[in-house]
Structure formats: C-alpha cells, structure tokens
Amino acid sequence: MTLDEIARAGWEDGANDPPLTPTQRTYLIALLGPHIRASIAKRAVASSDQTSTAA
C-alpha cells in the first residue's frame, strides 16, 4: 500500500465513526494539550529566531 492509499483508507474508516462524545473530546484535549502547546511554543521560538536573524 502507498501512503496515499493508507491515508484514504483511514479517512474512509473515520467517516463511518460516530462523532466524539463530550467526554472523549475532553480526554483528547487533556492528552494532546501539552504536546500542542509545546509545538506552538517551539514554532514561535523558531519564528522569532528567524525574524531576529533576518533583521
């Protein structure tokens, strides 16, 4: 399988799933929140570094 086929299969499988419940959403936010915040902070620092280097 190619990566495109794998992605398409996952998308199609997910299309048949019921929507997340509020409890599931809260769980995902708690689980992924630290990673997302760290990723945003890392990008902000990288962007700041590029801006200060270009000046």
Side-chain angles (χ1 to χ4, degrees):
M1 277 187 123
T2 68
L3 289 176
D4 286 340
E5 290 171 329
I6 293 167
R8 191 175 314 111
W11 184 265
E12 291 168 359
D13 179 55
N16 297 319
D17 291 342
L20 295 175
T21 65
T23 302
Q24 290 170 321
R25 286 187 211 137
T26 301
Y27 174 76
L28 286 174
I29 291 167
L31 183 68
L32 298 176
H35 171 73
I36 293 169
R37 284 189 293 278
S39 178
I40 291 169
K42 183 178 177 182
R43 287 182 187 179
V45 169
S47 177
S48 174
D49 289 346
Q50 288 177 356
T51 304
S52 63
T53 304

